[in-house]
Amino acid sequence: MARRDLTTLNQAPTSFRIALAQMLVEGGRKAANLQRAERNIAEAARREAHVVLLPEALNLGWMHPAAETEADTIPGGESCERLRAAARSHGVYVCAGLVEWDGGRIFNSAVLLAPTGEVLLVHRKLNELEIGHGLYAQGDRLAVAHTPLGCFGVMICADAFARGQVVGRALGLMGADLILSPSAWAVPADHDNLREPYGRLWLDHYGAVARDYRLWIAGVSNVGWIVAGPWQGRPCIGCSLLLDPDGSPVRVGPYGVEAEALLLADIRLTSRPARGDGWETLWHDREIQVPGRTS
């Protein structure tokens, strides 16, 4: 598919299509995982997506020990360079979770790529689960990227439920119109989704930030078995999620260890209603308009 020129879009409210690639990730199988990511990017572009979101640690799998020898650099490493080529070839934005090697340390990272293949930002996970501390180094910064489509923020999986949703809220304060969150959502092997439907954690934490800051949030999880590491034997089960600025689900991916899916949705951004401490005024005004509330 020919590249599309997105550089002519202005900074006014925009509409665009996002693709949530709920793909299989096989622990330690970099070549197969990257090929799968490339196919998803190509299919998303064929279906006229402008933004493609891929899962956490998609090149090697979350907490797989292959990270010790196969994590690569951003940019320059095989994983990033292949995704850059795919973004450039198909003319789409790509956000993907990658296991990164830098300066003798391994990071659970995510990269945001422009349709030109340019690396717009790299995010290193801040709120890593304690069981991941022995493998992944600590991220130490947060950023947004201003694009012709809007302002994009990036966080990774458990960043979303840091106390008080501090990561998502910081991105909201930084001006994000859309937060992209590569994820790897796993459950115990005996989880019964009929008795305990998966996803409340994400609906609660995503929803609060989306409503308060009037932004969109997309979280994409892989599917497949975790074959090594502290969660060996657990399945990743998808349930990828897109919430609108009302905090309402627009797309919800299927549940299951084999539930691969490419979910598409059209997003319309509107002008941000506040900035800085103007959010406090907006929230105060919203509170006093609740029936029966006087302060």
Side-chain angles (χ1 to χ4, degrees), residues 132-271:
H133 294 180
L135 181 61
Y136 301 126
Q138 176 67 56
D140 63 2
R141 65 201 64 192
L142 198 60
V144 295
H146 294 274
T147 80
L149 295 184
C151 181
F152 295 169
V154 177
M155 63 183 179
I156 301 172
C157 202
D159 283 340
F161 58 77
R163 183 180 288 271
Q165 300 109 24
V166 62
V167 177
R169 291 181 181 279
L171 291 170
L173 281 171
M174 295 166 76
D177 297 301
L178 168 65
I179 295 176
L180 301 167
S181 184
S183 300
W185 297 341
V187 297
D190 62 354
H191 180 251
D192 185 338
N193 198 52
L194 294 178
R195 188 173 68 247
E196 298 179 59
Y198 184 83
R200 187 76 258 167
L201 175 72
W202 307 105
L203 287 168
D204 288 347
H205 289 287
Y206 284 1
V209 174
R211 286 189 297 272
D212 280 354
Y213 289 92
R214 307 301 301 162
L215 53 79
W216 294 75
I217 302 182
V220 170
S221 173
N222 63 297
V223 300
W225 292 98
I226 297 177
V227 297
W231 274 6
Q232 182 176 353
R234 290 192 178 207
C236 289
I237 43 69
C239 293
S240 302
L241 189 61
L242 174 67
L243 266 61
D244 68 15
D246 293 322
S248 300
V250 174
R251 289 288 182 275
V252 179
Y255 172 100
V257 72
E258 298 179 350
E260 289 190 275
L262 186 65
L263 310 169
L264 289 101
D266 292 323
I267 287 178
R268 177 162 178 78
L269 302 182
T270 57
S271 298

Side-chain angles (χ1 to χ4, degrees), residues 78 214 279:
E78 177 188 5
R214 307 301 301 162
W279 289 108

Side-chain angles (χ1 to χ4, degrees), residues 19-27 29-41 52-61 83 94-98 183-185 219-225 236-240 253-254 256-263:
L20 283 61
Q22 182 171 298
M23 57 172 270
L24 172 66
V25 171
E26 298 178 278
R29 299 196 63 199
K30 182 192 289 187
N33 293 330
L34 291 173
Q35 289 173 2
R36 204 171 287 114
E38 290 164 339
R39 288 197 298 269
N40 273 278
I41 293 168
V52 186
L53 178 59
L54 298 158
E56 178 180 11
L58 74 82
N59 52 343
L60 296 172
L83 294 182
V94 173
C95 181
L98 296 175
S183 300
W185 297 341
V220 170
S221 173
N222 63 297
V223 300
W225 292 98
C236 289
I237 43 69
C239 293
S240 302
V257 72
E258 298 179 350
E260 289 190 275
L262 186 65
L263 310 169

Side-chain angles (χ1 to χ4, degrees), residues 94-116:
V94 173
C95 181
L98 296 175
V99 183
E100 177 194 9
W101 174 266
D102 181 50
R105 295 184 294 172
I106 299 168
F107 293 92
N108 184 350
S109 298
V111 63
L112 177 64
L113 306 173
T116 59

